Amino acid sequence: MDWTPSVIIAAVDGSEQSDRAAALAASLARTHDARLILVTVVRPPEGWWGVTGEPPTPAALSEALITGQKRILSEVEKNIDLHDVEYTTIEELGDPTSAILALSERERADLLIVGRRGAGVVERMVIGSVADRLAHHARCPLLIVP
Ligand SMILES: Nc1ncnc2c1ncn2[C@@H]1O[C@H](COP(=O)(O)OP(=O)(O)OP(=O)(O)O)[C@@H](O)[C@H]1O
Ligand SMILES: [Mg+2]
């Protein structure tokens, strides 16, 4: 079977490992002439979801949080080689795993690429919880970059 991805998603959280995941994704996108989507998910701090379980509106989120997340995307754009790659950046809001899964279904992604670990500070696991949960639930091929 010939496998040619036309949509590749790389999830970035500002960590070195997600930079490596994005760099690999850019290289694959260039090779296969695929569209690349760089996504970062703004995770509202605990408590924002409130007693009703209603997600906060984007407007209710602090400016600082969103600005920080935008910086993550512009850093990635600086750090990796994106020449000759058709790419878009997108910020999502909510639980990172769910948001990444929803985006990959919406965009009919052929490949999802993430780091094995991320920006989390707790070194309790070999694999981060987002990467782990994506491995369990992704509906398309998933590449986990150490
Ligand atoms: N908020 C996010 N937005 C986009 N991608 C993310 C986000 N969080 C994690 N990822 C992706 O998942 C990869 C693994 O990160 P993960 O969060 O699973 O590990 P961790 O931060 O080390 O551990 P944990 O978050 O469980 O404490 C990252 O390299 C990145 O590709
Ligand atoms: Mg994390």
Side-chain angles (χ1 to χ4, degrees):
M1 150 184 134
D2 283 335
W3 181 77
T4 306
S6 46
V7 178
I8 297 174
I9 295 182
V12 296
D13 68 350
S15 65
E16 228 176 86
Q17 299 205 22
S18 82
D19 269 6
R20 284 203 291 276
L24 199 154
S27 170
L28 282 173
R30 186 161 43 240
T31 303
H32 292 284
D33 223 350
R35 191 159 62 85
L36 173 65
I37 302 172
L38 298 169
V39 60
T40 188
V41 184
V42 183
R43 176 181 226 148
E46 304 296 331
W48 271 92
W49 303 85
V51 280
T52 60
E54 287 287 312
T57 62
L61 274 167
S62 77
E63 242 348 270
L65 207 64
I66 291 170
T67 309
Q69 215 72 12
K70 286 212 169 102
R71 193 161 48 228
I72 286 175
L73 286 169
S74 52
E75 282 295 314
V76 171
E77 290 180 81
K78 265 186 260 158
N79 292 346
I80 70 173
D81 178 8
L82 285 160
H83 86 267
D84 286 345
V85 177
E86 182 199 339
Y87 76 95
T88 49
T89 60
I90 178 166
E91 293 124 60
E92 294 277 332
L93 178 66
D95 168 64
T97 307
S98 314
I100 292 164
L101 286 173
L103 178 72
S104 60
E105 303 231 338
R106 203 160 71 233
E107 296 286 348
R108 300 178 195 282
D110 300 296
L111 180 62
L112 182 56
I113 306 185
V114 300
R116 183 165 63 196
R117 294 295 317 261
V121 284
V122 191
E123 288 274 336
R124 65 198 131 80
M125 300 280 189
V126 179
I127 185 167
S129 60
V130 175
D132 184 52
R133 287 176 61 212
L134 287 172
H136 282 85
H137 299 291
R139 305 277 292 275
C140 69
L142 170 71
L143 187 54
I144 300 181
V145 180

mmCIF file of all heavy atoms in Angstrom, residues 50-71:
data_model
loop_
_atom_site.group_PDB
_atom_site.id
_atom_site.type_symbol
_atom_site.label_atom_id
_atom_site.label_comp_id
_atom_site.label_asym_id
_atom_site.label_seq_id
_atom_site.Cartn_x
_atom_site.Cartn_y
_atom_site.Cartn_z
ATOM 1 N N GLY A 50 -15.253 25.653 36.989
ATOM 2 C CA GLY A 50 -16.323 26.036 37.918
ATOM 3 C C GLY A 50 -17.219 24.889 38.332
ATOM 4 O O GLY A 50 -17.041 23.762 37.909
ATOM 5 N N VAL A 51 -18.210 25.183 39.162
ATOM 6 C CA VAL A 51 -19.085 24.146 39.688
ATOM 7 C C VAL A 51 -20.058 23.615 38.636
ATOM 8 O O VAL A 51 -20.497 22.475 38.694
ATOM 9 C CB VAL A 51 -19.907 24.644 40.903
ATOM 10 C CG1 VAL A 51 -19.055 24.611 42.163
ATOM 11 C CG2 VAL A 51 -20.465 26.031 40.664
ATOM 12 N N THR A 52 -20.356 24.455 37.654
ATOM 13 C CA THR A 52 -21.325 24.029 36.648
ATOM 14 C C THR A 52 -20.677 23.152 35.583
ATOM 15 O O THR A 52 -21.375 22.517 34.801
ATOM 16 C CB THR A 52 -21.945 25.250 35.930
ATOM 17 O OG1 THR A 52 -20.878 25.977 35.308
ATOM 18 C CG2 THR A 52 -22.666 26.149 36.900
ATOM 19 N N GLY A 53 -19.335 23.140 35.563
ATOM 20 C CA GLY A 53 -18.655 22.374 34.536
ATOM 21 C C GLY A 53 -18.660 23.057 33.188
ATOM 22 O O GLY A 53 -18.213 22.510 32.196
ATOM 23 N N GLU A 54 -19.147 24.283 33.152
ATOM 24 C CA GLU A 54 -19.144 25.048 31.894
ATOM 25 C C GLU A 54 -17.723 25.501 31.587
ATOM 26 O O GLU A 54 -17.056 26.046 32.452
ATOM 27 C CB GLU A 54 -20.020 26.299 32.044
ATOM 28 C CG GLU A 54 -21.503 26.017 32.078
ATOM 29 C CD GLU A 54 -22.039 25.622 30.712
ATOM 30 O OE1 GLU A 54 -21.723 26.325 29.732
ATOM 31 O OE2 GLU A 54 -22.760 24.619 30.639
ATOM 32 N N PRO A 55 -17.269 25.280 30.365
ATOM 33 C CA PRO A 55 -15.944 25.796 30.045
ATOM 34 C C PRO A 55 -15.964 27.316 30.028
ATOM 35 O O PRO A 55 -16.999 27.908 29.721
ATOM 36 C CB PRO A 55 -15.662 25.235 28.649
ATOM 37 C CG PRO A 55 -16.978 24.853 28.096
ATOM 38 C CD PRO A 55 -17.910 24.596 29.252
ATOM 39 N N PRO A 56 -14.840 27.931 30.376
ATOM 40 C CA PRO A 56 -14.808 29.391 30.336
ATOM 41 C C PRO A 56 -14.872 29.868 28.890
ATOM 42 O O PRO A 56 -14.430 29.171 27.989
ATOM 43 C CB PRO A 56 -13.439 29.723 30.939
ATOM 44 C CG PRO A 56 -12.610 28.506 30.671
ATOM 45 C CD PRO A 56 -13.561 27.342 30.701
ATOM 46 N N THR A 57 -15.452 31.013 28.664
ATOM 47 C CA THR A 57 -15.415 31.576 27.316
ATOM 48 C C THR A 57 -13.988 32.039 27.063
ATOM 49 O O THR A 57 -13.272 32.390 28.002
ATOM 50 C CB THR A 57 -16.349 32.804 27.207
ATOM 51 O OG1 THR A 57 -15.878 33.790 28.117
ATOM 52 C CG2 THR A 57 -17.780 32.435 27.516
ATOM 53 N N PRO A 58 -13.573 32.043 25.797
ATOM 54 C CA PRO A 58 -12.219 32.516 25.512
ATOM 55 C C PRO A 58 -11.976 33.900 26.091
ATOM 56 O O PRO A 58 -10.886 34.197 26.583
ATOM 57 C CB PRO A 58 -12.185 32.535 23.977
ATOM 58 C CG PRO A 58 -13.180 31.502 23.575
ATOM 59 C CD PRO A 58 -14.269 31.545 24.617
ATOM 60 N N ALA A 59 -13.027 34.731 26.057
ATOM 61 C CA ALA A 59 -12.868 36.094 26.570
ATOM 62 C C ALA A 59 -12.591 36.103 28.065
ATOM 63 O O ALA A 59 -11.926 37.006 28.582
ATOM 64 C CB ALA A 59 -14.127 36.897 26.262
ATOM 65 N N ALA A 60 -13.102 35.074 28.743
ATOM 66 C CA ALA A 60 -12.928 35.044 30.188
ATOM 67 C C ALA A 60 -11.512 34.596 30.577
ATOM 68 O O ALA A 60 -11.068 34.803 31.691
ATOM 69 C CB ALA A 60 -13.958 34.109 30.813
ATOM 70 N N LEU A 61 -10.848 33.983 29.639
ATOM 71 C CA LEU A 61 -9.489 33.542 29.940
ATOM 72 C C LEU A 61 -8.555 34.740 30.016
ATOM 73 O O LEU A 61 -8.680 35.675 29.250
ATOM 74 C CB LEU A 61 -8.988 32.605 28.851
ATOM 75 C CG LEU A 61 -9.367 31.155 29.039
ATOM 76 C CD1 LEU A 61 -9.095 30.389 27.761
ATOM 77 C CD2 LEU A 61 -8.612 30.545 30.194
ATOM 78 N N SER A 62 -7.589 34.633 30.902
ATOM 79 C CA SER A 62 -6.703 35.785 31.045
ATOM 80 C C SER A 62 -5.912 35.999 29.756
ATOM 81 O O SER A 62 -5.522 35.057 29.075
ATOM 82 C CB SER A 62 -5.747 35.573 32.207
ATOM 83 O OG SER A 62 -4.732 34.682 31.821
ATOM 84 N N GLU A 63 -5.707 37.263 29.439
ATOM 85 C CA GLU A 63 -4.939 37.643 28.249
ATOM 86 C C GLU A 63 -3.568 36.977 28.300
ATOM 87 O O GLU A 63 -3.067 36.483 27.291
ATOM 88 C CB GLU A 63 -4.755 39.163 28.254
ATOM 89 C CG GLU A 63 -5.353 39.959 27.119
ATOM 90 C CD GLU A 63 -5.854 39.210 25.902
ATOM 91 O OE1 GLU A 63 -5.092 38.986 24.957
ATOM 92 O OE2 GLU A 63 -7.053 38.851 25.900
ATOM 93 N N ALA A 64 -2.996 36.948 29.490
ATOM 94 C CA ALA A 64 -1.635 36.420 29.645
ATOM 95 C C ALA A 64 -1.533 34.981 29.166
ATOM 96 O O ALA A 64 -0.564 34.594 28.514
ATOM 97 C CB ALA A 64 -1.209 36.519 31.105
ATOM 98 N N LEU A 65 -2.562 34.214 29.493
ATOM 99 C CA LEU A 65 -2.573 32.803 29.128
ATOM 100 C C LEU A 65 -2.536 32.644 27.615
ATOM 101 O O LEU A 65 -1.767 31.869 27.056
ATOM 102 C CB LEU A 65 -3.846 32.174 29.683
ATOM 103 C CG LEU A 65 -3.818 30.697 29.990
ATOM 104 C CD1 LEU A 65 -2.833 30.389 31.095
ATOM 105 C CD2 LEU A 65 -5.211 30.238 30.382
ATOM 106 N N ILE A 66 -3.398 33.392 26.938
ATOM 107 C CA ILE A 66 -3.494 33.279 25.483
ATOM 108 C C ILE A 66 -2.236 33.825 24.822
ATOM 109 O O ILE A 66 -1.706 33.239 23.884
ATOM 110 C CB ILE A 66 -4.771 33.997 24.989
ATOM 111 C CG1 ILE A 66 -5.995 33.191 25.461
ATOM 112 C CG2 ILE A 66 -4.765 34.130 23.470
ATOM 113 C CD1 ILE A 66 -7.318 33.881 25.266
ATOM 114 N N THR A 67 -1.744 34.929 25.370
ATOM 115 C CA THR A 67 -0.514 35.489 24.813
ATOM 116 C C THR A 67 0.627 34.492 24.944
ATOM 117 O O THR A 67 1.416 34.299 24.016
ATOM 118 C CB THR A 67 -0.139 36.796 25.548
ATOM 119 O OG1 THR A 67 -1.292 37.633 25.547
ATOM 120 C CG2 THR A 67 0.995 37.514 24.856
ATOM 121 N N GLY A 68 0.703 33.832 26.098
ATOM 122 C CA GLY A 68 1.755 32.836 26.329
ATOM 123 C C GLY A 68 1.682 31.726 25.313
ATOM 124 O O GLY A 68 2.703 31.275 24.783
ATOM 125 N N GLN A 69 0.473 31.326 25.012
ATOM 126 C CA GLN A 69 0.290 30.223 24.075
ATOM 127 C C GLN A 69 0.649 30.648 22.644
ATOM 128 O O GLN A 69 1.230 29.888 21.891
ATOM 129 C CB GLN A 69 -1.154 29.742 24.154
ATOM 130 C CG GLN A 69 -1.300 28.253 23.957
ATOM 131 C CD GLN A 69 -0.795 27.442 25.142
ATOM 132 O OE1 GLN A 69 -0.524 27.986 26.208
ATOM 133 N NE2 GLN A 69 -0.652 26.152 24.943
ATOM 134 N N LYS A 70 0.298 31.891 22.303
ATOM 135 C CA LYS A 70 0.665 32.403 20.969
ATOM 136 C C LYS A 70 2.173 32.443 20.829
ATOM 137 O O LYS A 70 2.720 32.184 19.764
ATOM 138 C CB LYS A 70 0.095 33.816 20.777
ATOM 139 C CG LYS A 70 -1.401 33.827 20.548
ATOM 140 C CD LYS A 70 -1.799 34.975 19.631
ATOM 141 C CE LYS A 70 -3.237 34.865 19.177
ATOM 142 N NZ LYS A 70 -4.139 35.770 19.906
ATOM 143 N N ARG A 71 2.843 32.759 21.959
ATOM 144 C CA ARG A 71 4.301 32.815 21.924
ATOM 145 C C ARG A 71 4.877 31.428 21.620
ATOM 146 O O ARG A 71 5.865 31.293 20.921
ATOM 147 C CB ARG A 71 4.833 33.345 23.263
ATOM 148 C CG ARG A 71 6.296 33.723 23.213
ATOM 149 C CD ARG A 71 6.685 34.652 24.346
ATOM 150 N NE ARG A 71 6.186 34.172 25.627
ATOM 151 C CZ ARG A 71 5.547 34.924 26.497
ATOM 152 N NH1 ARG A 71 5.341 36.185 26.238
ATOM 153 N NH2 ARG A 71 5.145 34.419 27.634
#
